Amino acid sequence: MWLLAVEGAICTCLRDSTPIELASHCQVSLGAPWPSSSALLPSHISSGHYPAPGPEPMGMALISLALLTWLPLVPLVLGQYTAYNYGFDVGARVKRDVTQPLVVRGGGEGDLRFRQEVREMEQDQDLWTLYILGLSLLQFTDQSSPTSWYGITGIHGIPHKTWGGVGPTPGNEASGYCTHSSILFPTWHRPYLVLYEQVMYSLIQSLATWWPEGEARNRYQQASLRFRIPYWDWAANPSSGQSVLPQSVGGSPYVDVNGPSGIQRIANPLFSYSFKPLNSTAFIQDPWDYWTVTLRSPTDNSTEAQSNNSLVALNFDQNVASLSQRLYILFSNYANYSLISNNAWIPLTSNASYDSIESLHDTVHNLAGGGGLGQPNVQGGHMSYIPYSAFDPIFFLHHTMVDRIFSIWQALYPGTWVVPTAAALPSYTTSKGQVQDSRTALTPFYASTDGTFWTSDTVRDHTQFGYTYAELAGSSTSGPNTSRNTRSQIRKAINRLYGTSSPANLFIKEMRARGRQRERRQHVTKQGELDEGQVTSKKRHKYREWIANIRVKKQSSAGPFSVHFFLGSVPDDPQEWAMAPSHIGTMGVFAADQTNGMPLGQLEVSGTVPLTTCLVDKVVRGELSSLEPYDVEPYLTLNLQRRLLSISGKILDVSEVGGLHIHIISAVVRAPSSEDELPLWGQAVEHFDLD
């Protein structure tokens, strides 16, 4: 046995266990610092790959263990922490909008403010304090209120109840209002987020007046005017030593906050949500009918289940390169709203257009909920299941990021919009097959007290709601009026944030280093040098992108699942996949549990996993001669493998998911010649199917 103390965390572990096995044995004290995966495995963070578990020096095993398994025992400690005690009846002082119907109009007093990345907001101490206190206040609001945390998050799925007086269409009572696999997927979520932001803004305005009169109150009232909901950028490489999963979200079940009545330790409202009480008539099957808090990557499906945010962080850190590449390709190669908006597979569509904002969003849901990787959990967390996902506080951080992606994409391609399309799935107010267009009501979100609902047309310009994103400063997305200069600045931001994982940016990196643009491009990487012609052609700086296109039925026999890709050997035990160096990417399929009754039917969805960056690495290492088909096809045929994993950690057979098709494609791409350009894609070519 080892006894180890690391920064206040005390662990007892079995010497011969793998790091993942050690995680199940280790118990760590509260408040231990957040373990970044870069600190866990510093030599592999840049590539997104982790060494496979196995024999390692005693010191390394101890360090990996301590950083991976610091997490507190969630169900045992959450009850110790509650809301902030202001010393008076909070309910009597909160200003609430009681107009009927409740009109979604946004926060602010007409000012346009930035929605910030959550880590950036943390640096604004006064604003961060207001955000944490406001979110806590919302979560402790009586669940019967339609503008409580439970009331707002329940719009998405469970409890499948009428909100705002907007009842279901006959036969759709077992669905939430959210429009999944729909042409309205991005636009429906916009007023949903605005509703949440509006309620939070109102709470924070009240909260700021509760400080004693004087300098502090004035400061917090000024800060309250800046509030807009934050987003979590899960596709950008975090700062050195940090994980993709922010410490504020997964680091501790409690937080010390300096409020109007001084410093108090309260339940961290970003860590989980505690049902008050759990609605057993809505959550009708286990474990949902006895889990009283939201969980991520639960250790099991018992009443004593714990979240394992450390494992969630590890999985995100391993997949961030793939997520970033997918996002970069969406920005550069998807110029049609119908294709980028949702994951429903469109027969006869271009084989270059299998991905979408929704499919990328689905993968993040599965990773945040657990994804089945790294431990033999028998149940995914709330974020992995459509009906329960919105209750997890990470949901709105994630969806604000999705709206940011959508807003940036709108500014790049302002001329394409919603076209009439039949609904592939029902929602609470939409029947399957119903034609949806840009004027379809985005229920249950009212635009006016006269009963008018918001539509895709009327929410097209996000700035009318009083928010924008830093990359879009000075632009509007209501039509083809984004200036050339603004689009140039947006492309620079995309290259800076998401282009680092793409081979296309090898050109930009070299030009930045040399300070001139008219030279022979010779690509240099950390691993070594690439001769021109190995990756790119000598003319016009073109190279070939390789992608795995995936098409599969949305609902498997096991509920949500993921398709994992490996370049090389695959560990037999899926507990080891989270640290396998051969793992190159994941496509998550976001679905419901079989007993929920949500009718997903036989819908086919699609998505992608980019292969090029890993292939470039193989070229650098001398394992592959070039990116040309005559070299890559036999290499992938021999080495590329796929595995299907349920959200419960079970390896699935193809027969258990149905309709799985994986097509390996490539396209010749012209790399950008400056930082304000994006790659220019040629026609895709299909090479072979992966069995």
Side-chain angles (χ1 to χ4, degrees):
M1 298 285 289
W2 294 331
L3 181 63
L4 173 68
V6 178
E7 297 181 22
I10 300 177
C11 305
T12 57
C13 305
L14 303 176
R15 178 170 183 171
D16 295 326
S17 300
T18 67
I20 296 299
E21 290 169 338
L22 291 172
S24 66
H25 295 291
C26 182
Q27 298 184 9
V28 185
S29 61
L30 292 177
W34 175 248
S36 73
S37 296
S38 57
L40 206 168
L41 297 161
S43 63
H44 296 269
I45 185 63
S46 60
S47 66
H49 293 161
Y50 295 84
E56 48 187 352
M58 183 173 182
M60 180 60 191
L62 289 171
I63 293 172
S64 299
L65 166 65
L67 291 172
L68 181 63
T69 60
W70 63 279
L71 194 69
L73 300 179
V74 177
L76 301 182
V77 300
L78 281 175
Q80 301 176 20
Y81 307 105
T82 183
Y84 191 89
N85 182 2
Y86 295 92
F88 53 79
D89 181 6
V90 170
R93 297 200 187 186
V94 172
K95 297 177 182 178
R96 299 190 184 279
D97 190 343
V98 295
T99 59
Q100 294 295 329
L102 177 62
V103 174
V104 176
R105 61 182 183 279
E109 310 299 330
D111 295 331
L112 191 64
R113 302 280 186 173
F114 290 147
R115 287 179 175 174
Q116 302 178 67
E117 210 279 334
V118 64
R119 295 176 181 87
E120 181 183 357
M121 181 183 277
E122 284 186 69
Q123 305 310 308
D124 187 336
Q125 186 173 348
D126 293 344
L127 185 58
W128 183 254
T129 297
L130 290 170
Y131 172 55
I132 293 298
L133 288 174
L135 189 58
S136 174
L137 195 58
L138 183 62
Q139 291 184 5
F140 279 88
T141 299
D142 191 309
Q143 288 186 172
S144 64
S145 169
T147 54
S148 64
W149 178 264
Y150 185 83
I152 295 172
T153 55
I155 292 172
H156 187 265
I158 291 289
H160 299 161
K161 297 295 184 183
T162 295
W163 192 92
V166 185
T169 52
N172 296 326
E173 295 83 0
S175 298
Y177 288 96
C178 182
T179 53
H180 288 276
S181 303
S182 162
I183 197 81
L184 305 181
F185 174 80
T187 57
W188 182 90
H189 282 87
R190 179 161 286 170
Y192 187 30
L193 290 168
V194 171
L195 170 65
Y196 165 60
E197 187 167 62
Q198 176 178 320
V199 172
M200 280 287 292
Y201 183 87
S202 179
L203 286 175
I204 285 172
Q205 299 313 299
S206 296
L207 214 160
T209 67
W210 298 347
W211 267 264
E213 203 170 325
E215 186 273 336
R217 179 191 290 184
N218 294 337
R219 202 176 71 240
Y220 281 104
Q221 285 184 302
Q222 285 299 312
S224 71
L225 300 176
R226 301 194 298 272
F227 176 76
R228 298 295 185 273
I229 56 175
Y231 65 89
W232 164 41
D233 194 341
W234 32 254
N237 287 317
S239 300
S240 177
Q242 294 186 21
S243 169
V244 175
L245 183 68
Q247 179 181 355
S248 57
V249 176
S252 174
Y254 66 79
V255 60
D256 294 326
V257 59
N258 190 6
S261 298
I263 299 175
Q264 295 180 25
R265 180 161 290 181
I266 66 172
N268 182 355
L270 292 172
F271 189 86
S272 64
Y273 170 66
S274 298
F275 296 95
K276 308 173 189 67
L278 182 66
N279 184 350
S280 59
T281 61
F283 297 83
I284 57 175
Q285 68 277 342
D286 61 17
W288 315 108
D289 61 351
Y290 53 72
W291 277 353
T292 59
V293 298
T294 57
L295 297 174
R296 301 174 194 141
S297 193
T299 52
D300 53 52
N301 64 353
S302 74
T303 57
E304 302 300 317
Q306 309 169 40
S307 280
N308 191 340
N309 281 288
S310 298
L311 195 53
V312 173
L314 184 66
N315 286 327
F316 269 107
D317 290 349
Q318 187 187 34
N319 281 279
V320 65
S322 180
L323 296 175
S324 182
Q325 291 162 41
R326 288 178 68 181
L327 181 54
Y328 191 67
I329 293 171
L330 286 174
F331 282 139
S332 61
N333 190 39
Y334 285 71
N336 183 293
Y337 176 89
S338 295
L339 298 178
I340 200 173
S341 62
N342 70 98
N343 62 13
W345 181 66
I346 305 173
L348 304 180
T349 192
S350 166
N351 57 12
S353 305
Y354 267 55
D355 216 351
S356 62
I357 291 175
E358 186 177 11
S359 181
L360 183 57
H361 142 279
D362 287 1
T363 298
V364 174
H365 264 280
N366 281 17
L367 290 172
L373 285 178
Q375 60 186 31
N377 54 337
V378 293
Q379 181 70 54
H382 290 74
M383 270 289 283
S384 302
Y385 292 84
I386 293 174
Y388 316 115
S389 59
F391 295 110
D392 189 324
I394 207 171
F395 175 91
F396 280 120
L397 291 171
H398 168 39
H399 270 275
T400 308
M401 171 64 174
V402 173
D403 182 76
R404 173 174 169 266
I405 293 169
F406 177 41
S407 300
I408 292 173
W409 182 89
Q410 282 184 267
L412 290 174
Y413 306 101
T416 177
W417 197 234
V418 179
V419 297
T421 307
L425 292 174
S427 72
Y428 198 65
T429 54
T430 304
S431 296
K432 181 179 178 180
Q434 177 182 330
V435 175
Q436 300 171 315
D437 59 28
S438 63
R439 294 173 293 178
T440 298
L442 303 177
T443 53
F445 308 119
Y446 287 102
S448 170
T449 54
D450 65 7
T452 302
F453 291 101
W454 289 103
T455 68
S456 296
D457 282 342
T458 57
V459 302
R460 190 169 186 174
D461 182 4
H462 68 273
T463 62
Q464 67 183 302
F465 297 113
Y467 77 87
T468 191
Y469 302 96
E471 297 80 9
L472 300 172
S475 71
S476 167
T477 55
S478 59
N481 55 0
T482 305
S483 70
R484 179 178 300 178
N485 183 61
T486 298
R487 282 197 291 269
S488 174
Q489 294 303 313
I490 293 170
R491 289 190 290 266
K492 285 182 179 180
I494 292 170
N495 279 319
R496 183 182 72 254
L497 291 169
Y498 311 116
T500 56
S501 297
S502 171
N505 274 261
L506 291 172
F507 290 103
I508 295 176
K509 290 177 183 178
E510 180 171 351
M511 285 186 293
R512 187 186 299 121
R514 295 189 177 191
R516 53 186 180 269
Q517 298 185 8
R518 295 184 179 274
E519 281 201 22
R520 176 179 179 270
R521 272 65 167 177
Q522 180 181 7
H523 309 305
V524 181
T525 70
K526 292 181 179 179
Q527 295 89 349
E529 295 187 353
L530 290 173
D531 291 331
E532 191 167 15
Q534 283 188 285
V535 171
T536 61
S537 66
K538 295 182 179 181
K539 295 181 179 180
R540 306 190 70 180
H541 317 300
K542 295 181 179 179
Y543 72 100
R544 189 173 289 272
E545 282 275 2
W546 290 83
I547 294 173
N549 280 345
I550 305 109
R551 172 164 57 96
V552 69
K553 289 182 180 177
K554 186 173 180 66
Q555 186 68 52
S556 77
S557 60
F561 63 97
S562 295
V563 186
H564 296 270
F565 287 85
F566 300 82
L567 206 52
S569 61
V570 183
D572 293 332
D573 188 347
Q575 294 184 66
E576 299 179 8
W577 293 359
M579 299 176 71
S582 59
H583 187 277
I584 60 174
T586 301
M587 177 195 140
V589 180
F590 187 41
D593 49 337
Q594 286 290 320
T595 55
N596 179 264
M598 189 175 181
L600 299 181
Q602 299 298 305
L603 173 69
E604 288 185 304
V605 296
S606 63
T608 70
V609 170
L611 307 175
T612 316
T613 298
C614 294
L615 292 173
V616 170
D617 183 65
K618 300 301 180 183
V619 173
V620 172
R621 296 175 185 275
E623 300 175 26
L624 186 64
S625 296
S626 75
L627 292 184
E628 292 306 308
Y630 49 76
D631 289 319
V632 174
E633 281 195 45
Y635 183 84
L636 290 179
T637 302
L638 183 64
N639 293 285
L640 184 62
Q641 301 192 57
R642 61 105 181 104
R643 295 290 187 274
L644 305 173
L645 193 69
S646 75
I647 207 68
S648 62
K650 175 190 174 185
I651 298 178
L652 301 174
D653 186 78
V654 173
S655 63
E656 295 180 88
V657 296
L660 178 65
H661 302 275
I662 300 175
H663 312 292
I664 306 303
I665 69 160
S666 75
V668 174
V669 177
R670 182 178 179 181
S673 59
S674 66
E675 292 182 334
D676 63 351
E677 293 181 0
L678 293 176
L680 184 62
W681 287 65
Q683 186 172 358
V685 177
E686 190 167 316
H687 293 277
F688 65 93
D689 292 347
L690 186 66
D691 294 331

